[in-house]
Amino acid sequence: MSGNLFTIVETVINFIILLIILRVLLFKRITNAIDTRNNQVKETINKANNDREEAKTLKIQTEKSLEDSKAQGKSIVEDYKEKAEKLSQDIKKEASSEADLIMERAKKEVEREKEKAEDELKKKVVDLAVILSSKALEKDINEKEHRRLIEDFITKVGM
């Protein structure tokens, strides 16, 4: 048993020495590598979370900006519609005023032409009356002849 005990003690001592050597040489390196890897994973996760939050913020800002742009576009379109409607009404008013002015001028022109025609007609009537009177004075006319001359005069004048 003494050989056996010696082997057990020797194995235990060898195991302890091996443990110390492994601890000094490998465990620190492995622990450091594991800690480094854990830190890298944590940093990656934190970065991913930060990126996700930033993406959410950017998405919200983009949606708000899009809504603002739509509202602004709608406002611009409404403004242009109002301006176009006002311009259309102004053009219609101007055209109506111009048409009224043209109509008024035309009425005045027609009135002048009518007066001119009436004046010419009066002159012709007077001329005819003078001609008729001179014919009547040249002849000695009786009532029958006088009536005929008046009827001729009325026929020529168009009354």
Side-chain angles (χ1 to χ4, degrees):
M1 191 124 176
S2 115
N4 220 358
L5 186 61
F6 180 73
T7 306
I8 291 177
V9 172
E10 187 181 318
T11 304
V12 169
I13 291 176
N14 281 336
F15 181 71
I16 291 175
I17 292 173
L18 182 62
L19 246 163
I20 291 172
I21 292 173
L22 285 176
R23 184 175 178 112
V24 170
L25 295 178
L26 291 177
F27 283 154
K28 283 187 182 180
R29 288 183 183 165
I30 291 174
T31 305
N32 286 341
I34 290 173
D35 288 343
T36 303
R37 182 65 183 147
N38 279 338
N39 289 337
Q40 287 175 346
V41 168
K42 285 179 184 178
E43 286 177 11
T44 304
I45 289 172
N46 287 338
K47 187 175 184 300
N49 287 336
N50 289 340
D51 289 348
R52 185 180 324 125
E53 289 300 318
E54 187 177 335
K56 283 180 184 178
T57 303
L58 287 174
K59 181 181 176 189
I60 291 170
Q61 288 175 350
T62 303
E63 288 174 352
K64 186 177 183 300
S65 176
L66 180 63
E67 288 175 13
D68 291 345
S69 296
K70 284 180 182 179
Q72 187 178 13
K74 189 174 182 179
S75 174
I76 290 170
V77 167
E78 289 299 321
D79 288 345
Y80 278 115
K81 279 184 182 178
E82 288 175 11
K83 287 179 183 177
E85 185 64 33
K86 186 177 184 298
L87 182 62
S88 173
Q89 289 175 356
D90 290 347
I91 290 171
K92 285 179 183 177
K93 284 180 184 177
E94 187 177 324
S96 177
S97 296
E98 199 170 315
D100 289 344
L101 185 62
I102 290 171
M103 288 296 291
E104 190 64 33
R105 287 181 188 159
K107 284 179 184 178
K108 287 180 182 178
E109 184 66 27
V110 166
E111 189 64 34
R112 275 186 283 197
E113 290 295 322
K114 181 181 171 187
E115 288 174 5
K116 188 177 176 182
E118 285 176 357
D119 287 343
E120 286 181 28
L121 183 61
K122 284 179 185 178
K123 285 180 184 177
K124 286 185 181 182
V125 168
V126 168
D127 290 344
L128 286 175
V130 168
I131 293 171
L132 185 62
S133 295
S134 66
K135 282 184 181 181
L137 290 176
E138 287 177 3
K139 295 182 183 178
D140 187 25
I141 56 170
N142 60 17
E143 188 179 329
K144 207 179 210 186
E145 185 68 25
H146 185 63
R147 286 191 186 273
R148 187 186 62 74
L149 287 174
I150 291 173
E151 286 175 6
D152 283 348
F153 174 74
I154 291 173
T155 304
K156 286 179 182 178
V157 172
M159 291 184 168

PDB file of all heavy atoms in Angstrom, residues 67-88:
ATOM      1  N   GLU A  67     -45.818  64.403 -43.377  1.00  0.00           N
ATOM      2  CA  GLU A  67     -47.137  64.978 -43.094  1.00  0.00           C
ATOM      3  C   GLU A  67     -47.112  66.498 -43.255  1.00  0.00           C
ATOM      4  O   GLU A  67     -48.039  67.081 -43.826  1.00  0.00           O
ATOM      5  CB  GLU A  67     -47.582  64.605 -41.679  1.00  0.00           C
ATOM      6  CG  GLU A  67     -47.979  63.154 -41.515  1.00  0.00           C
ATOM      7  CD  GLU A  67     -48.300  62.786 -40.065  1.00  0.00           C
ATOM      8  OE1 GLU A  67     -48.458  63.699 -39.227  1.00  0.00           O
ATOM      9  OE2 GLU A  67     -48.393  61.583 -39.781  1.00  0.00           O
ATOM     10  N   ASP A  68     -46.039  67.115 -42.751  1.00  0.00           N
ATOM     11  CA  ASP A  68     -45.905  68.575 -42.900  1.00  0.00           C
ATOM     12  C   ASP A  68     -45.837  68.954 -44.372  1.00  0.00           C
ATOM     13  O   ASP A  68     -46.448  69.940 -44.796  1.00  0.00           O
ATOM     14  CB  ASP A  68     -44.665  69.087 -42.163  1.00  0.00           C
ATOM     15  CG  ASP A  68     -44.795  68.993 -40.649  1.00  0.00           C
ATOM     16  OD1 ASP A  68     -45.931  68.800 -40.160  1.00  0.00           O
ATOM     17  OD2 ASP A  68     -43.761  69.107 -39.956  1.00  0.00           O
ATOM     18  N   SER A  69     -45.082  68.183 -45.140  1.00  0.00           N
ATOM     19  CA  SER A  69     -44.952  68.463 -46.573  1.00  0.00           C
ATOM     20  C   SER A  69     -46.294  68.318 -47.283  1.00  0.00           C
ATOM     21  O   SER A  69     -46.644  69.137 -48.139  1.00  0.00           O
ATOM     22  CB  SER A  69     -43.930  67.523 -47.213  1.00  0.00           C
ATOM     23  OG  SER A  69     -42.649  67.754 -46.686  1.00  0.00           O
ATOM     24  N   LYS A  70     -47.045  67.292 -46.921  1.00  0.00           N
ATOM     25  CA  LYS A  70     -48.365  67.109 -47.519  1.00  0.00           C
ATOM     26  C   LYS A  70     -49.284  68.283 -47.179  1.00  0.00           C
ATOM     27  O   LYS A  70     -49.991  68.798 -48.046  1.00  0.00           O
ATOM     28  CB  LYS A  70     -48.999  65.800 -47.038  1.00  0.00           C
ATOM     29  CG  LYS A  70     -48.432  64.563 -47.670  1.00  0.00           C
ATOM     30  CD  LYS A  70     -49.122  63.313 -47.143  1.00  0.00           C
ATOM     31  CE  LYS A  70     -48.542  62.046 -47.737  1.00  0.00           C
ATOM     32  NZ  LYS A  70     -49.200  60.846 -47.193  1.00  0.00           N
ATOM     33  N   ALA A  71     -49.265  68.684 -45.912  1.00  0.00           N
ATOM     34  CA  ALA A  71     -50.111  69.804 -45.491  1.00  0.00           C
ATOM     35  C   ALA A  71     -49.697  71.085 -46.208  1.00  0.00           C
ATOM     36  O   ALA A  71     -50.549  71.853 -46.671  1.00  0.00           O
ATOM     37  CB  ALA A  71     -50.017  69.986 -43.976  1.00  0.00           C
ATOM     38  N   GLN A  72     -48.399  71.294 -46.327  1.00  0.00           N
ATOM     39  CA  GLN A  72     -47.901  72.488 -47.008  1.00  0.00           C
ATOM     40  C   GLN A  72     -48.283  72.448 -48.487  1.00  0.00           C
ATOM     41  O   GLN A  72     -48.694  73.457 -49.062  1.00  0.00           O
ATOM     42  CB  GLN A  72     -46.385  72.583 -46.843  1.00  0.00           C
ATOM     43  CG  GLN A  72     -45.794  73.867 -47.374  1.00  0.00           C
ATOM     44  CD  GLN A  72     -44.299  73.939 -47.152  1.00  0.00           C
ATOM     45  OE1 GLN A  72     -43.664  72.954 -46.817  1.00  0.00           O
ATOM     46  NE2 GLN A  72     -43.737  75.112 -47.350  1.00  0.00           N
ATOM     47  N   GLY A  73     -48.142  71.279 -49.112  1.00  0.00           N
ATOM     48  CA  GLY A  73     -48.529  71.132 -50.510  1.00  0.00           C
ATOM     49  C   GLY A  73     -50.011  71.407 -50.713  1.00  0.00           C
ATOM     50  O   GLY A  73     -50.410  72.091 -51.657  1.00  0.00           O
ATOM     51  N   LYS A  74     -50.815  70.889 -49.813  1.00  0.00           N
ATOM     52  CA  LYS A  74     -52.262  71.113 -49.899  1.00  0.00           C
ATOM     53  C   LYS A  74     -52.582  72.596 -49.743  1.00  0.00           C
ATOM     54  O   LYS A  74     -53.419  73.139 -50.462  1.00  0.00           O
ATOM     55  CB  LYS A  74     -52.969  70.299 -48.815  1.00  0.00           C
ATOM     56  CG  LYS A  74     -54.463  70.280 -48.934  1.00  0.00           C
ATOM     57  CD  LYS A  74     -55.085  69.344 -47.910  1.00  0.00           C
ATOM     58  CE  LYS A  74     -56.584  69.300 -48.085  1.00  0.00           C
ATOM     59  NZ  LYS A  74     -57.215  68.384 -47.124  1.00  0.00           N
ATOM     60  N   SER A  75     -51.893  73.241 -48.814  1.00  0.00           N
ATOM     61  CA  SER A  75     -52.091  74.680 -48.599  1.00  0.00           C
ATOM     62  C   SER A  75     -51.708  75.470 -49.846  1.00  0.00           C
ATOM     63  O   SER A  75     -52.425  76.385 -50.251  1.00  0.00           O
ATOM     64  CB  SER A  75     -51.250  75.139 -47.404  1.00  0.00           C
ATOM     65  OG  SER A  75     -51.310  76.525 -47.263  1.00  0.00           O
ATOM     66  N   ILE A  76     -50.595  75.098 -50.468  1.00  0.00           N
ATOM     67  CA  ILE A  76     -50.147  75.782 -51.684  1.00  0.00           C
ATOM     68  C   ILE A  76     -51.173  75.602 -52.794  1.00  0.00           C
ATOM     69  O   ILE A  76     -51.519  76.552 -53.501  1.00  0.00           O
ATOM     70  CB  ILE A  76     -48.759  75.274 -52.114  1.00  0.00           C
ATOM     71  CG1 ILE A  76     -47.694  75.762 -51.129  1.00  0.00           C
ATOM     72  CG2 ILE A  76     -48.412  75.727 -53.529  1.00  0.00           C
ATOM     73  CD1 ILE A  76     -46.336  75.135 -51.311  1.00  0.00           C
ATOM     74  N   VAL A  77     -51.670  74.389 -52.940  1.00  0.00           N
ATOM     75  CA  VAL A  77     -52.669  74.120 -53.981  1.00  0.00           C
ATOM     76  C   VAL A  77     -53.924  74.951 -53.727  1.00  0.00           C
ATOM     77  O   VAL A  77     -54.496  75.541 -54.657  1.00  0.00           O
ATOM     78  CB  VAL A  77     -53.002  72.604 -54.037  1.00  0.00           C
ATOM     79  CG1 VAL A  77     -54.240  72.346 -54.880  1.00  0.00           C
ATOM     80  CG2 VAL A  77     -51.816  71.824 -54.591  1.00  0.00           C
ATOM     81  N   GLU A  78     -54.368  75.021 -52.475  1.00  0.00           N
ATOM     82  CA  GLU A  78     -55.554  75.814 -52.140  1.00  0.00           C
ATOM     83  C   GLU A  78     -55.321  77.291 -52.440  1.00  0.00           C
ATOM     84  O   GLU A  78     -56.211  77.962 -52.977  1.00  0.00           O
ATOM     85  CB  GLU A  78     -55.931  75.624 -50.659  1.00  0.00           C
ATOM     86  CG  GLU A  78     -56.496  74.256 -50.333  1.00  0.00           C
ATOM     87  CD  GLU A  78     -57.778  73.948 -51.078  1.00  0.00           C
ATOM     88  OE1 GLU A  78     -58.618  74.859 -51.241  1.00  0.00           O
ATOM     89  OE2 GLU A  78     -57.942  72.802 -51.515  1.00  0.00           O
ATOM     90  N   ASP A  79     -54.129  77.785 -52.101  1.00  0.00           N
ATOM     91  CA  ASP A  79     -53.811  79.184 -52.390  1.00  0.00           C
ATOM     92  C   ASP A  79     -53.880  79.453 -53.887  1.00  0.00           C
ATOM     93  O   ASP A  79     -54.445  80.465 -54.323  1.00  0.00           O
ATOM     94  CB  ASP A  79     -52.416  79.550 -51.859  1.00  0.00           C
ATOM     95  CG  ASP A  79     -52.370  79.658 -50.344  1.00  0.00           C
ATOM     96  OD1 ASP A  79     -53.450  79.728 -49.721  1.00  0.00           O
ATOM     97  OD2 ASP A  79     -51.251  79.675 -49.785  1.00  0.00           O
ATOM     98  N   TYR A  80     -53.296  78.553 -54.670  1.00  0.00           N
ATOM     99  CA  TYR A  80     -53.315  78.753 -56.121  1.00  0.00           C
ATOM    100  C   TYR A  80     -54.729  78.639 -56.683  1.00  0.00           C
ATOM    101  O   TYR A  80     -55.087  79.344 -57.626  1.00  0.00           O
ATOM    102  CB  TYR A  80     -52.364  77.780 -56.832  1.00  0.00           C
ATOM    103  CG  TYR A  80     -50.943  78.259 -56.812  1.00  0.00           C
ATOM    104  CD1 TYR A  80     -49.956  77.555 -56.134  1.00  0.00           C
ATOM    105  CD2 TYR A  80     -50.570  79.435 -57.461  1.00  0.00           C
ATOM    106  CE1 TYR A  80     -48.646  78.007 -56.102  1.00  0.00           C
ATOM    107  CE2 TYR A  80     -49.267  79.886 -57.438  1.00  0.00           C
ATOM    108  CZ  TYR A  80     -48.303  79.172 -56.759  1.00  0.00           C
ATOM    109  OH  TYR A  80     -47.016  79.624 -56.736  1.00  0.00           O
ATOM    110  N   LYS A  81     -55.538  77.766 -56.110  1.00  0.00           N
ATOM    111  CA  LYS A  81     -56.935  77.666 -56.549  1.00  0.00           C
ATOM    112  C   LYS A  81     -57.662  78.982 -56.281  1.00  0.00           C
ATOM    113  O   LYS A  81     -58.412  79.461 -57.131  1.00  0.00           O
ATOM    114  CB  LYS A  81     -57.659  76.523 -55.807  1.00  0.00           C
ATOM    115  CG  LYS A  81     -57.412  75.164 -56.374  1.00  0.00           C
ATOM    116  CD  LYS A  81     -58.240  74.132 -55.630  1.00  0.00           C
ATOM    117  CE  LYS A  81     -57.988  72.737 -56.126  1.00  0.00           C
ATOM    118  NZ  LYS A  81     -58.769  71.742 -55.362  1.00  0.00           N
ATOM    119  N   GLU A  82     -57.445  79.525 -55.082  1.00  0.00           N
ATOM    120  CA  GLU A  82     -58.099  80.791 -54.738  1.00  0.00           C
ATOM    121  C   GLU A  82     -57.625  81.908 -55.670  1.00  0.00           C
ATOM    122  O   GLU A  82     -58.432  82.710 -56.142  1.00  0.00           O
ATOM    123  CB  GLU A  82     -57.795  81.163 -53.281  1.00  0.00           C
ATOM    124  CG  GLU A  82     -58.509  80.300 -52.263  1.00  0.00           C
ATOM    125  CD  GLU A  82     -58.105  80.616 -50.825  1.00  0.00           C
ATOM    126  OE1 GLU A  82     -57.426  81.643 -50.600  1.00  0.00           O
ATOM    127  OE2 GLU A  82     -58.472  79.837 -49.940  1.00  0.00           O
ATOM    128  N   LYS A  83     -56.319  81.961 -55.921  1.00  0.00           N
ATOM    129  CA  LYS A  83     -55.781  82.993 -56.808  1.00  0.00           C
ATOM    130  C   LYS A  83     -56.341  82.830 -58.214  1.00  0.00           C
ATOM    131  O   LYS A  83     -56.694  83.820 -58.864  1.00  0.00           O
ATOM    132  CB  LYS A  83     -54.253  82.924 -56.842  1.00  0.00           C
ATOM    133  CG  LYS A  83     -53.601  83.435 -55.582  1.00  0.00           C
ATOM    134  CD  LYS A  83     -52.089  83.325 -55.637  1.00  0.00           C
ATOM    135  CE  LYS A  83     -51.451  83.785 -54.341  1.00  0.00           C
ATOM    136  NZ  LYS A  83     -49.982  83.617 -54.364  1.00  0.00           N
ATOM    137  N   ALA A  84     -56.425  81.588 -58.684  1.00  0.00           N
ATOM    138  CA  ALA A  84     -56.961  81.340 -60.026  1.00  0.00           C
ATOM    139  C   ALA A  84     -58.431  81.731 -60.105  1.00  0.00           C
ATOM    140  O   ALA A  84     -58.879  82.330 -61.092  1.00  0.00           O
ATOM    141  CB  ALA A  84     -56.776  79.870 -60.399  1.00  0.00           C
ATOM    142  N   GLU A  85     -59.187  81.420 -59.063  1.00  0.00           N
ATOM    143  CA  GLU A  85     -60.609  81.772 -59.032  1.00  0.00           C
ATOM    144  C   GLU A  85     -60.776  83.291 -59.029  1.00  0.00           C
ATOM    145  O   GLU A  85     -61.610  83.832 -59.751  1.00  0.00           O
ATOM    146  CB  GLU A  85     -61.282  81.166 -57.792  1.00  0.00           C
ATOM    147  CG  GLU A  85     -62.775  81.377 -57.733  1.00  0.00           C
ATOM    148  CD  GLU A  85     -63.522  80.703 -58.860  1.00  0.00           C
ATOM    149  OE1 GLU A  85     -63.096  79.631 -59.317  1.00  0.00           O
ATOM    150  OE2 GLU A  85     -64.553  81.268 -59.287  1.00  0.00           O
ATOM    151  N   LYS A  86     -59.970  83.973 -58.229  1.00  0.00           N
ATOM    152  CA  LYS A  86     -60.036  85.436 -58.169  1.00  0.00           C
ATOM    153  C   LYS A  86     -59.656  86.035 -59.523  1.00  0.00           C
ATOM    154  O   LYS A  86     -60.328  86.947 -60.019  1.00  0.00           O
ATOM    155  CB  LYS A  86     -59.102  85.967 -57.085  1.00  0.00           C
ATOM    156  CG  LYS A  86     -59.220  87.459 -56.867  1.00  0.00           C
ATOM    157  CD  LYS A  86     -58.323  87.917 -55.727  1.00  0.00           C
ATOM    158  CE  LYS A  86     -58.476  89.378 -55.418  1.00  0.00           C
ATOM    159  NZ  LYS A  86     -58.136  90.279 -56.448  1.00  0.00           N
ATOM    160  N   LEU A  87     -58.605  85.502 -60.134  1.00  0.00           N
ATOM    161  CA  LEU A  87     -58.182  85.988 -61.441  1.00  0.00           C
ATOM    162  C   LEU A  87     -59.284  85.758 -62.476  1.00  0.00           C
ATOM    163  O   LEU A  87     -59.574  86.638 -63.288  1.00  0.00           O
ATOM    164  CB  LEU A  87     -56.889  85.282 -61.880  1.00  0.00           C
ATOM    165  CG  LEU A  87     -56.297  85.707 -63.208  1.00  0.00           C
ATOM    166  CD1 LEU A  87     -55.903  87.181 -63.163  1.00  0.00           C
ATOM    167  CD2 LEU A  87     -55.096  84.849 -63.548  1.00  0.00           C
ATOM    168  N   SER A  88     -59.912  84.586 -62.412  1.00  0.00           N
ATOM    169  CA  SER A  88     -61.011  84.282 -63.326  1.00  0.00           C
ATOM    170  C   SER A  88     -62.164  85.272 -63.139  1.00  0.00           C
ATOM    171  O   SER A  88     -62.724  85.780 -64.120  1.00  0.00           O
ATOM    172  CB  SER A  88     -61.496  82.851 -63.085  1.00  0.00           C
ATOM    173  OG  SER A  88     -62.655  82.583 -63.826  1.00  0.00           O
TER     174      SER A  88
END
